[in-house]
Amino acid sequence: MLASKRILAALVLTVLGGTAQAADDIVVYSSRIDELIKPVFDAYTAKTGVNVKFITDKEAPLMQRIKAEGQNATADLLLTVDAGNLWQAEQMGILQPFTSPVIDANIPTQYRSSTHSWTGLSLRARTIAYSTDRVKPEELTTYEALADKQWEGRLCLRTAKKVYNQSLTATLIETHGAEASEKILKGWVNNLSTDVFSDDIAVLEAINAGQCDVGIVNTYYYGRLHKQNPDLAVRLFWPNQSDRGVHVNLSGIGLTKYAPHAEAAKALVEWMTWPEAQAIFAGTNQEFPANPKVAPSEEVASWGAFKADTIPVEVAGRRQAEAIRMMDRVGWN
Ligand code: FE
């Protein structure tokens, strides 16, 4: 039976873009680049014999493509970063909710969609980075305190156009309300030492070069830069440890509405929440496993333990539009 199925699969081999693709391969549309996803899919294929094909692009065109393909879907799964993006995909109606006792057991509730449309796979903290030359960690406390006079002309931020900052702002609004949040954002903008940067690496380099003293970045960028430059005069600080905790966001995955191989795709998602896959997937990008039973890599663990905000990350999506308007009002470009 199994052998004849294999023969059948071989017979229906089709050629797509020059590469042979079996009709029952799982297809993933991913906004994460090849080198961050290939190791975990290779491990799945080695274990199960199931092939995983992937197409990488920015999240917006991938989502548009899934929408345009509709019932003629070629993608089974959408893999992307930030709850704000996953929530957008959910709003576009391109995802298919499914419940799984495995996922429910392996991934904490705050890192999953409340409608079961997507689940987090790996976590990243968006935290404070500081100059070890010009800042003592004792001077730092919270994200909110970066709005204080003390940091005037000393703060570097990435552009407000990046979803990471929109999500951070969204959780700020959820926590403090609109009025207080706008005050905090105004303080941040007032404290900027220079124009906003296009990426987190540039923020870290600016701190290292003395252009500013503090900034807000995703942890894995620190990991990447630190690997290249072990003498980096920048460290990570975990803010809000006596209140809500550090802002955590994620990379995650959702089943597409018209997934041609839904059952196989669900099995892959479930497998990705188990320790073996979690260690590979999170470790490849120096992220934290979303499954709390799995330890982070040695390098990631070396940044120290911290208390994370337990706010459901989908708040980042629900309040995204509000966050964007607020950032615009305060002049965060
Ligand atoms: Fe990133």
Side-chain angles (χ1 to χ4, degrees), residues 66 73 75-78 86 89-90 92-99 103 113 115-119 253-263 265-266 269:
I66 295 168
D76 296 297
L77 297 164
L78 172 70
L86 288 157
E90 187 180 337
M92 284 169 73
I94 60 173
L95 298 181
Q96 178 184 165
F98 72 98
T99 51
I103 297 171
S113 142
T115 63
H116 305 278
S117 296
W118 47 265
T119 180
I253 198 162
L255 182 68
T256 65
K257 188 162 185 189
Y258 299 107
H261 317 98
E263 292 314 309
K266 286 179 197 174
V269 175

Side-chain angles (χ1 to χ4, degrees), residues 145-207:
L146 293 180
D148 294 348
K149 195 92 180 142
Q150 175 193 359
W151 302 105
E152 195 173 345
R154 301 174 69 190
L155 176 66
C156 275
L157 290 176
R158 184 177 185 160
T159 173
K161 291 180 183 71
K162 185 66 190 182
V163 68
Y164 302 159
N165 282 334
Q166 296 165 5
S167 296
L168 176 69
T169 301
T171 58
L172 207 64
I173 298 171
E174 179 80 6
T175 306
H176 297 294
E179 207 178 315
S181 299
E182 190 153 341
K183 252 189 211 149
I184 295 160
L185 292 199
K186 263 187 195 146
W188 289 358
V189 171
N190 282 337
N191 286 344
L192 287 178
S193 75
T194 182
D195 289 344
V196 293
F197 292 88
S198 61
D199 62 70
D200 284 11
I201 290 284
V203 169
L204 289 162
E205 283 172 338
I207 299 170

